[in-house]
Amino acid sequence: MTDAGGDGKHVIEVEGLKTQFGDFVVHEDLDLNVERGEILGVVGGSGTGKSVLMRAIIGLKRPSAGAVRIFGEDYYQASDKDREAIEERWGVLFQGGALFSSLTVAQNVMAPLKEHLNLPEELVRDIAALKISMSGLPEEAGAKYPSELSGGMKKRAGLARALALDPEIVFLDEPTAGLDPIGAAKFDELIVNLKESLGLTVFMVTHDLDTLHATCDRVAVLAEKRVMACGPLEEVRKTDHPWIQEYFSGPRGRAALAHKASEGMS
Amino acid sequence: MTDSAASFDIDVRQGVLKLAPRGDWRARFLGGLDDPLRDFADDSVGRDLVIDMAAVERLDTVGAMMLQRTMHSCTSRTSTSEFLNASEAQAALLKQVESHLDPCHVEPLHGNIVVVLIDRLGRGVADAYFASLEVMSFIGLTLSTAWRVLFNPKKMRWTSTVYHMEEAGLNAMPIVGLMSFLIGAVVAFMGAKILRMFNADIFTVELVGISVLREFGVLLSAILIAGRSGSAFTAQIGSMKIREEIDAMRVLGLDPMEVLVLPRVIALVIMLPILALVASVLGVIGGGLVAAMAMDISPALFVSRFQETIVINHFWAGLIKAPFFAFVIAIIGCFQGMEVEGSAESLGQRTTLSVVQALFLVILIDAFFAMFYLEIDF
């Protein structure tokens, strides 16, 4: 399902990005490309601006310099209409799910459908049920309010809403943070599964080494205000940068690697 | 784009229904096809169905779901019911949605409306009953804490108390004073207009004096403090509750009643009478100013008449009420803060409740005082 726009290979192109809060510069001269159909994991220490980068790409934090091109279109220069067209083609999962608390899960999923598409109510309900089920939530969850859900269920519900419009790109902000290891592994599996069957491009901010190993095609490491390394995990791990070395070769990094290796053998 | 819209053809071949969807089967183009496809599915229950995907240019989960739904409504699925000519991606999509076709509820189930209303009424009454019991026990807990601290003054949090005296009392003084000044002026204007009809202008002094000293000064201060500080107490304590700070205090052996509640209660009980005093003075000044400007009552006349006719009892009758109002406002503010559970919505609800209940109780107590004063001729 390739679509017109851009050269078709890079769905997101970030060029010379500079973001700042007052005098505090978060990113400077940052370049990053996301290829169609890949899962890109963005890692970095606390405060390196992973979430800020995501917010800059999805239009919530206006960069002070540089360009963000989505499907070949400069998001911050685009007209309102073009911008809305882009927004229909992406879905975002915020860290806590960011579900609307006054709506049930199903109504949350239906909200973007009702806003953007002119479909009969019955079909919208069916679509909501489909997305909720695809996100791995039980049927009963549809009629529940966000306050009645556990953290993991909230993330799944948030993912269902992010997938409502059949987006081409999905942004995930720390999808497995706060989940127990079993829930996190299931969520990883779900993301890979959906990416394969729906042909999604996934931009994922994460801290979780296991998630990186389990899901990501490429990894981008943020440090010193820019992308220090970007590529398949094996390559990035070899990069000679103290933070990268410590991150991937520390005890947790090695454990995740060993786990991956033992899985590969069995 | 003429070919972008979605459509489908139906055709029967050797007793087998054949559905041939065509075009762009993505959600945005499918709104008009939902009903026809449902009708078709209803008509073809129990028959063999072949869906030919050859002419489908694009497919998303919604299109795949609608096709799978149609396929599944044919109950007797035999080997002849199948998707034909599906590309690899389309087949994957069709497979992905196949196990997720069950509908789900959108809203929680509601029972009979009458039952729900009666249920809600019953809950409301029961909640009010239990809430009043809880407030009583909270008052008891506060008083016993105060008693304990009285005999062990080292436990008194002076810094916190003084901070709240400044925050809730001193900082509120300008607005309380201004409001009372304006109300005093308004009362004088009204009195001037009506009393003039009876040639009794001079009674404006009594009108302003008695109403401001007995009621307006203290009542306005209390109302303003309930809105300003009662809600702040609920929000402060409530957000601490949400962040588990209260639990942390308990675990560390700090008594939240002692650390949070008592300083706030004491601060308000001390400061509200002072605010009421300031409000009364400014209210009388406002009335006097209007009397001087709009009527022929000079300030000198106003003051001498005031001294002659307004007995000190009016002043005390007003001021005595202030500590009671303050106590109720602080107690309700802290109590509602302690009742906050979990989420930010709860904090918002509790803050609203805190102000509403505090205002209600202040006015209720004021009415009791009025009746009491009437009985004892004060």
Side-chain angles (χ1 to χ4, degrees):
Chain A
M1 280 209 309
T2 51
D3 206 320
D7 55 10
K9 190 161 182 282
H10 293 153
V11 285
I12 303 173
E13 293 166 303
V14 179
E15 209 178 283
L17 182 81
K18 180 178 182 184
T19 52
Q20 56 190 92
F21 294 97
D23 289 337
F24 179 69
V25 177
V26 184
H27 304 121
E28 191 146 33
D29 208 17
L30 181 147
D31 297 321
L32 180 67
N33 291 327
V34 184
E35 287 169 22
R36 188 175 290 281
E38 73 171 349
I39 299 183
L40 177 77
V42 176
V43 298
S46 293
T48 50
K50 302 182 295 293
S51 293
V52 177
L53 174 63
M54 186 179 116
R55 293 173 70 84
I57 296 175
I58 59 180
L60 295 175
K61 165 78 189 143
R62 184 175 272 277
S64 42
V68 175
R69 277 189 291 278
I70 312 227
F71 307 118
E73 183 114 35
D74 192 330
Y75 182 83
Y76 288 96
Q77 306 295 327
S79 66
D80 285 354
K81 196 159 162 280
D82 290 344
R83 204 173 289 174
E84 199 178 311
I86 293 173
E87 283 160 5
E88 276 182 38
R89 289 167 69 183
W90 74 35
V92 183
L93 168 62
F94 290 94
Q95 213 178 97
L99 297 164
F100 304 127
S101 52
S102 58
L103 303 178
T104 63
V105 170
Q107 285 167 339
N108 262 285
V109 179
M110 286 158 70
L113 291 163
K114 285 186 166 171
E115 178 67 27
H116 288 289
L117 303 176
N118 184 21
L119 299 176
E121 173 80 15
E122 207 179 349
L123 181 60
V124 173
R125 282 166 184 255
D126 281 355
I127 298 173
L130 172 76
K131 307 285 166 163
I132 288 168
S133 171
M134 272 167 61
S135 307
L137 285 172
E139 204 182 299
E140 316 85 78
K144 285 191 176 154
Y145 285 95
S147 55
E148 301 168 281
L149 300 180
S150 69
M153 286 170 91
K154 273 184 201 161
K155 297 217 167 173
R156 284 172 188 269
L159 185 64
R161 190 179 66 183
L163 293 174
L165 290 168
D166 267 290
E168 290 160 55
I169 312 174
V170 177
F171 293 88
L172 309 173
D173 192 1
E174 308 235 4
T176 53
L179 300 187
D180 65 84
I182 299 169
K186 282 194 178 149
F187 206 89
D188 292 344
E189 210 174 288
L190 174 70
I191 289 165
V192 174
N193 183 4
L194 289 174
K195 176 228 158 190
E196 309 256 290
S197 59
L198 305 179
L200 295 172
T201 305
V202 180
F203 180 101
M204 174 166 31
V205 171
T206 187
H207 264 307
D208 189 333
L209 283 153
D210 290 312
T211 303
L212 280 185
H213 282 287
T215 61
C216 293
D217 300 312
R218 287 198 308 146
V219 176
V221 183
L222 286 191
E224 297 166 25
K225 298 176 187 174
R226 34 196 198 93
V227 177
M228 285 307 291
C230 184
L233 195 54
E234 288 72 35
E235 279 176 31
V236 170
R237 197 186 305 124
K238 288 177 195 137
T239 312
D240 189 24
H241 183 277
W243 190 83
I244 298 177
Q245 281 308 313
E246 206 177 334
Y247 184 71
F248 288 106
S249 307
R252 282 159 170 265
R254 284 202 307 273
L257 185 64
H259 176 241
K260 173 85 172 173
S262 70
E263 254 186 357
M265 270 185 274
S266 60
Chain B
M1 287 201 290
T2 50
D3 60 344
S4 69
S7 62
F8 63 87
D9 294 328
I10 303 161
D11 142 48
V12 186
R13 203 169 291 167
Q14 293 153 2
V16 178
L17 267 175
K18 187 175 159 194
L19 179 74
R22 276 192 287 113
D24 190 340
W25 275 63
R26 287 187 299 163
R28 70 191 63 233
F29 303 112
L30 294 173
L33 290 187
D34 192 42
D35 283 337
L37 213 54
R38 275 181 211 272
D39 291 343
F40 168 74
D42 289 342
D43 293 341
S44 56
V45 171
R47 297 184 63 172
D48 289 341
L49 177 68
V50 170
I51 298 182
D52 185 356
M53 302 293 290
V56 176
E57 289 157 18
R58 282 184 182 178
L59 187 68
D60 68 1
T61 51
V62 177
M65 176 195 73
M66 286 168 66
L67 293 173
Q68 277 288 12
R69 191 185 66 197
T70 312
M71 181 65 99
H72 276 249
S73 70
C74 305
T75 44
S76 73
R77 294 198 60 202
T78 61
S79 57
T80 48
S81 289
E82 61 184 340
F83 287 97
L84 289 179
N85 303 321
S87 71
E88 207 173 306
Q90 287 171 348
L93 209 52
L94 288 166
K95 193 158 178 300
Q96 168 73 28
V97 301
E98 189 174 9
S99 48
H100 303 298
L101 290 174
D102 290 330
C104 76
H105 290 293
V106 173
E107 287 154 9
L109 288 174
H110 296 299
N112 184 320
I113 180 81
V114 178
V115 176
V116 170
L117 282 178
I118 293 173
D119 176 79
R120 199 184 293 171
L121 181 70
R123 274 175 209 280
V125 172
D127 284 351
Y129 172 68
F130 289 118
S132 59
L133 283 188
E134 275 171 40
V135 173
M136 297 286 191
S137 74
F138 194 79
I139 291 175
L141 196 57
T142 311
L143 290 178
S144 74
T145 308
W147 188 250
R148 211 174 54 229
V149 171
L150 194 67
F151 289 103
N152 192 0
K154 263 192 295 184
K155 293 228 163 208
M156 184 66 207
R157 314 278 156 164
W158 292 111
T159 318
S160 174
T161 310
V162 171
Y163 168 80
H164 287 294
M165 282 169 70
E166 182 189 343
E167 182 58 39
L170 198 62
N171 292 352
M173 222 155 257
I175 183 74
V176 167
L178 179 66
M179 213 165 76
S180 185
F181 178 85
L182 292 175
I183 291 288
V186 168
V187 169
F189 263 123
M190 274 170 43
K193 192 154 186 230
I194 293 169
L195 291 173
R196 183 167 292 160
M197 292 195 284
F198 304 102
N199 242 346
D201 296 22
I202 194 65
F203 283 99
T204 306
V205 182
E206 277 97 325
L207 179 69
V208 169
I210 294 174
S211 65
V212 167
L213 290 188
R214 282 190 91 101
E215 291 294 337
F216 286 135
V218 60
L219 199 58
L220 283 176
S221 312
I223 287 172
L224 208 112
I225 291 304
R228 195 179 176 276
S229 303
S231 60
F233 290 173
T234 308
Q236 288 159 0
I237 295 178
S239 60
M240 290 178 80
K241 188 97 192 289
I242 290 177
R243 289 194 299 256
E244 296 182 309
E245 287 176 52
I246 309 272
D247 296 337
M249 265 181 204
R250 288 211 173 96
V251 173
L252 291 171
L254 296 163
D255 182 2
M257 296 304 291
E258 216 175 272
V259 179
L260 298 175
V261 178
L262 204 57
R264 286 175 167 82
V265 173
I266 292 177
L268 268 202
V269 169
I270 294 175
M271 287 314 283
L272 193 60
I274 298 178
L275 282 172
L277 175 68
V278 171
S280 301
V281 171
L282 279 162
V284 171
I285 291 176
L289 214 63
V290 167
M293 289 190 323
M295 288 172 280
D296 301 329
I297 304 172
S298 71
L301 180 59
F302 189 92
V303 170
S304 67
R305 173 89 186 168
F306 196 88
Q307 279 175 334
E308 262 169 47
T309 58
I310 310 287
V311 285
I312 192 72
N313 279 2
H314 293 309
F315 171 71
W316 290 122
L319 209 62
I320 285 170
K321 296 188 277 191
F324 291 91
F325 291 168
F327 185 75
V328 163
I329 293 168
I331 287 286
I332 294 291
C334 295
F335 171 73
Q336 293 293 355
M338 288 290 191
E339 290 292 292
V340 168
E341 299 280 343
S343 65
E345 294 98 85
S346 159
L347 182 60
Q349 279 168 3
R350 289 292 170 184
T351 309
T352 313
L353 258 183
S354 151
V355 176
V356 172
Q357 287 185 353
L359 287 179
F360 170 73
L361 285 174
V362 161
I363 300 210
L364 189 73
I365 293 175
D366 193 51
F368 278 129
F369 266 107
M371 276 157 40
F372 178 65
Y373 288 155
L374 191 72
E375 288 298 318
I376 64 166
D377 244 349
F378 188 53

